[in-house]
């Protein structure tokens, strides 16, 4: 999935009208811990606390221009995409309904409602919520905002273009590898588009939850495969059914795809808080979890990780932090 320079510049104009570029830092304690230079792209610093906002802004700008008659949209989410929809819909004066599964993050639900979203709870996982959103769209005549779309990818690509451009201007240049979490695939596709746009040779490694392995299984098999979802911590990666367009990008652009379990994600959340004092949700810490898993392979190298979001419920984060204290006392 590639975009012209004009398409990228239009996306940057749209995104920067609502938010500034997010920072990328090389944290000394991470370098000391891992034995490599670790550049962290802080998408937890967007106004919605996650990278998804960029895609929503770009999608809705195109929607408002090409389909001005649309006044009400609907989508499905585990949280960050829904906040993106709510944020962008409000900027364009549109009503937004978002379907979430039962048991979804209480704080992400509250954030969506604060953005004016009408929340509908349905099913026990994202796929069921997504299917219900499709049903409601047809029954009510609403415009359905997908979770994967070229305009979403184009918006998110602005994050990785910032990252590659900033590091290209520094001594040492872009990292040799970039770890990117995979939920439905827009983030990975955006990183691949940004790599092509910037003309860098950074390897891309996708990261999935070991408790939701559809993209890993499909990557290895060369065909689309579903997998059950059981992750409790990385809700942003809880995908049962892969998106065909995202798989095509993954097969073509990924150096590898690796899986991290909830215990590894929890450890990465603790490390990010200890070494950088940034709060990461489960999916947001997955890239670092993968790097921790592969630390010996990248010793002495320049490595990039995407901290894609910080929207974790306080009770969950407290449990993650306290579990480290229990382990130390044991």
């Amino acid at each position: 999935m590639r975009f012209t320079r004009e398409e990228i510049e239009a996306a940057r104009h749209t995104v920067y009208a609502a938010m500034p570029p997010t920072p990328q830092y090389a944290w000394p304690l991470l370098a000391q811990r891992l034995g490599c230079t670790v550049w962290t792209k802080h998408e937890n610093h967007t106004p919605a606390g996650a990278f998804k906002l960029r895609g929503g802004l770009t999608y809705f700008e195109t929607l408002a221009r090409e389909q001005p008659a649309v006044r009400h949209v609907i989508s499905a989410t585990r949280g960050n995409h829904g906040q993106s929809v709510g944020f962008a819909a409000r900027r364009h004066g549109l009503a937004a309904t978002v379907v979430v599964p039962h048991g979804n993050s209480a704080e992400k639900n509250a954030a969506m409602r604060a953005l004016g979203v009408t929340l509908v709870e349905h099913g026990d996982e994202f796929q069921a919520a997504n299917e219900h959103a499709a049903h409601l769209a047809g029954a009510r005549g609403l415009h359905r905002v997908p979770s994967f779309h070229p305009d979403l990818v184009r918006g998110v690509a602005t994050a990785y273009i910032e990252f590659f451009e900033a590091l290209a201007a520094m001594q040492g240049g872009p990292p040799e590898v970039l770890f990117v979490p995979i939920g439905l695939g827009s983030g990975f596709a955006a990183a691949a588009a940004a790599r092509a746009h910037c003309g860098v040779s950074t390897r891309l490694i996708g990261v999935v939850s070991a408790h939701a392995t559809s993209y890993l299984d499909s990557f290895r098999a060369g065909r689309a495969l579903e997998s059950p979802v059981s992750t409790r911590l990385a809700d942003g990666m809880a995908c049962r059914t892969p998106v065909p367009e995202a798989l095509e990008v993954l097969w073509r652009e990924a150096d590898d795809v690796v899986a991290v379990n909830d215990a590894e994600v929890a450890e990465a959340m603790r490390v990010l808080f200890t070494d950088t004092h940034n709060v990461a949700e489960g999916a947001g810490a997955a890239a670092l979890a993968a790097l921790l898993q592969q630390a010996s392979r990248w010793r002495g190298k320049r490595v990039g990780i995407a901290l894609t979001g910080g929207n974790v419920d306080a009770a969950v984060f407290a449990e993650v932090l306290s579990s480290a204290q229990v382990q130390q006392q044991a």
Side-chain angles (χ1 to χ4, degrees), residues 138-320:
R140 300 179 183 178
L142 307 180
H143 176 89
R144 184 181 171 207
V145 181
S147 298
F148 187 94
H149 185 277
D151 283 329
L152 297 175
V153 173
R154 184 165 58 95
V156 175
T158 62
Y160 295 102
I161 290 170
E162 290 169 11
F163 182 70
F164 289 134
E165 287 183 346
L167 269 61
M170 298 180 184
Q171 185 176 0
E176 290 160 88
V177 63
L178 173 64
F179 289 87
V180 183
I182 298 175
L184 283 177
S186 64
F188 186 90
R195 179 175 66 174
H197 177 82
C198 295
V200 299
S201 57
T202 300
R203 300 179 186 181
L204 299 178
I205 295 181
V207 185
V208 305
S209 169
H211 315 288
T213 59
S214 61
Y215 276 94
L216 173 61
D217 298 341
S218 301
F219 178 75
R220 291 176 175 173
R223 59 189 178 89
L225 296 172
E226 291 191 357
S227 75
V229 172
S230 60
T231 177
R232 190 184 72 84
L233 197 53
D235 57 346
M237 304 165 76
C239 172
R240 173 163 57 92
T241 305
V243 176
E245 297 90 340
L247 273 179
E248 291 294 335
V249 175
L250 199 65
W251 287 323
R252 186 174 64 249
E253 304 285 355
D255 187 74
D256 197 7
V257 178
V258 299
V260 292
N261 61 39
D262 278 358
E264 292 173 309
V265 166
E267 175 62 13
M269 292 169 70
R270 290 190 288 267
V271 167
L272 281 165
F273 188 72
T274 300
D275 291 2
T276 78
H277 284 162
N278 275 265
V279 174
E281 61 189 276
L288 178 59
L291 175 56
L292 288 165
Q293 187 186 93
Q294 296 193 357
S296 60
R297 178 182 178 187
W298 303 106
R299 192 167 299 278
K301 306 294 186 182
R302 286 169 60 83
V303 181
I305 59 172
L307 201 174
T308 52
N311 297 324
V312 56
D313 283 7
V316 173
F317 193 58
E319 181 182 342
V320 166

Side-chain angles (χ1 to χ4, degrees), residues 6-267:
E6 292 74 19
E7 289 172 327
I8 291 295
E9 286 308 309
R12 296 179 88 162
H13 178 79
T14 297
V15 169
Y16 299 150
M19 57 169 277
T22 59
Q24 44 279 315
Y25 298 128
W27 295 97
L29 285 173
L30 285 181
Q32 181 176 291
R33 181 187 295 271
L34 286 151
C36 60
T37 301
V38 185
W39 282 96
T40 304
K41 181 58 173 171
H42 283 285
E43 287 299 281
N44 57 315
H45 290 186
T46 76
F51 77 102
K52 292 281 190 180
L53 179 61
R54 298 172 184 264
L57 289 166
T58 308
Y59 182 92
F60 274 81
E61 187 280 329
T62 302
L63 178 66
R65 186 163 31 84
E66 296 184 351
Q67 299 184 53
V70 170
R71 305 311 305 160
H72 195 154
V73 302
I74 189 168
S75 194
T77 188
R78 289 302 302 260
N80 289 336
H81 174 67
Q83 289 183 69
S84 170
V85 167
F87 189 100
R90 186 168 68 173
R91 283 179 68 85
H92 289 279
L94 305 182
T97 297
V98 174
V99 185
V100 300
H102 291 286
N104 196 52
S105 160
E107 292 178 22
K108 287 180 179 177
N109 287 355
M112 285 184 278
R113 290 190 176 104
L115 288 166
V117 165
T118 298
L119 216 63
V120 175
E121 294 181 278
H122 181 89
D124 297 319
E125 60 174 2
F126 170 76
Q127 197 64 34
N130 195 39
E131 290 166 2
H132 189 60
H135 167 73
L136 292 178
R140 300 179 183 178
L142 307 180
H143 176 89
R144 184 181 171 207
V145 181
S147 298
F148 187 94
H149 185 277
D151 283 329
L152 297 175
V153 173
R154 184 165 58 95
V156 175
T158 62
Y160 295 102
I161 290 170
E162 290 169 11
F163 182 70
F164 289 134
E165 287 183 346
L167 269 61
M170 298 180 184
Q171 185 176 0
E176 290 160 88
V177 63
L178 173 64
F179 289 87
V180 183
I182 298 175
L184 283 177
S186 64
F188 186 90
R195 179 175 66 174
H197 177 82
C198 295
V200 299
S201 57
T202 300
R203 300 179 186 181
L204 299 178
I205 295 181
V207 185
V208 305
S209 169
H211 315 288
T213 59
S214 61
Y215 276 94
L216 173 61
D217 298 341
S218 301
F219 178 75
R220 291 176 175 173
R223 59 189 178 89
L225 296 172
E226 291 191 357
S227 75
V229 172
S230 60
T231 177
R232 190 184 72 84
L233 197 53
D235 57 346
M237 304 165 76
C239 172
R240 173 163 57 92
T241 305
V243 176
E245 297 90 340
L247 273 179
E248 291 294 335
V249 175
L250 199 65
W251 287 323
R252 186 174 64 249
E253 304 285 355
D255 187 74
D256 197 7
V257 178
V258 299
V260 292
N261 61 39
D262 278 358
E264 292 173 309
V265 166
E267 175 62 13

